[in-house]
Amino acid sequence: MKNLPNLLTWARILLIPLVMGVFYLPDSWLSPFMQNLTACVIFTVAAITDWLDGYLARRMEVTSAFGAFLDPVADKLMVGAALVMLVQLDRCDAIIAFIIIGREITISALREWMAKVGASKSVAVSYIGKLKTAAQMVAIPMLLFHNDLLGLPIALIGQVLIVLAAALTIWSMAYYLRRAAPELARH
């Protein structure tokens, strides 16, 4: 039971190819609507496991260095794969995907380096980073679903949110780089 949070993280990683794979199934297996719905549901389940694994690790007091490493890797793989798929489906502009994925790579590398120089607290997750994550985790399922729902233009709302996520991505990257600037200047 103490490995449940890490098992959920591994499950999230295993769900990534399923989100992408449904779009490669023949229409005779899944209609385009069902492909959109299935990908949206799988991504949403994966996003929920992201929240749940952290909650359970803290609640059960079974946090680990491996879990702390694996969780953000799973998040970045999940978001990156979904964004690449959305670009391929012409539901997300490539520059938006590049901004979000590029920021994730940059900040991951910055955090790793800051940890090596003993200053990891200065680039700990911030409120703006959490807002960015929330915006993209709502936008991506909407863009995967891409159909109107109860009269709401889900694709349009998803487009607005992914642009907001990109803006928050730039803002949060600037925030983290500014926080790391004293260490960067020293080295």
Side-chain angles (χ1 to χ4, degrees):
M1 199 61 155
K2 71 178 184 173
N3 289 327
L4 183 59
N6 285 347
L7 289 174
L8 288 171
T9 304
W10 280 113
R12 185 161 70 255
I13 291 170
L14 293 174
L15 289 174
I16 295 166
L18 294 179
V19 171
M20 298 178 78
V22 299
F23 291 108
Y24 290 97
L25 294 173
D27 289 350
S28 61
W29 288 20
L30 284 178
S31 68
F33 173 80
M34 287 306 296
Q35 288 175 333
N36 291 344
L37 178 62
T38 303
C40 174
V41 167
I42 294 169
F43 185 90
T44 302
V45 167
I48 290 168
T49 69
D50 179 26
W51 171 82
L52 188 59
D53 64 15
Y55 171 79
L56 289 174
R58 288 184 299 277
R59 178 89 173 169
M60 297 165 62
E61 297 180 4
V62 292
T63 57
S64 67
F66 181 71
F69 156 77
L70 188 62
D71 184 65
V73 169
D75 297 346
K76 285 153 189 50
L77 287 172
M78 183 177 75
V79 168
L83 287 171
V84 168
M85 191 79 247
L86 290 169
V87 168
Q88 182 174 342
L89 294 168
D90 200 27
R91 298 178 186 179
C92 179
D93 195 270
I95 192 69
I96 298 290
F98 174 76
I99 288 168
I100 293 171
I101 294 169
R103 179 262 188 209
E104 295 304 332
I105 293 167
T106 302
I107 298 307
S108 292
L110 179 66
R111 283 190 174 129
E112 183 177 334
W113 181 76
M114 293 293 281
K116 284 183 180 178
V117 298
S120 59
K121 287 187 180 184
S122 64
V123 288
V125 175
S126 70
Y127 181 71
I128 190 70
K130 290 180 181 188
L131 282 177
K132 180 263 322 167
T133 299
Q136 72 188 21
M137 291 306 211
V138 173
I140 290 171
M142 290 180 141
L143 293 170
L144 289 169
F145 183 67
H146 210 255
N147 297 282
D148 288 355
L149 181 66
L150 304 172
L152 293 173
I154 298 300
L156 178 60
I157 296 168
Q159 286 291 327
V160 169
L161 287 173
I162 203 70
V163 169
L164 175 63
L168 291 170
T169 293
I170 293 168
W171 185 7
S172 69
M173 185 167 73
Y175 170 82
Y176 290 125
L177 289 172
R178 192 171 52 251
R179 296 284 312 253
E183 282 300 320
L184 293 169
R186 249 179 263 158
H187 297 276

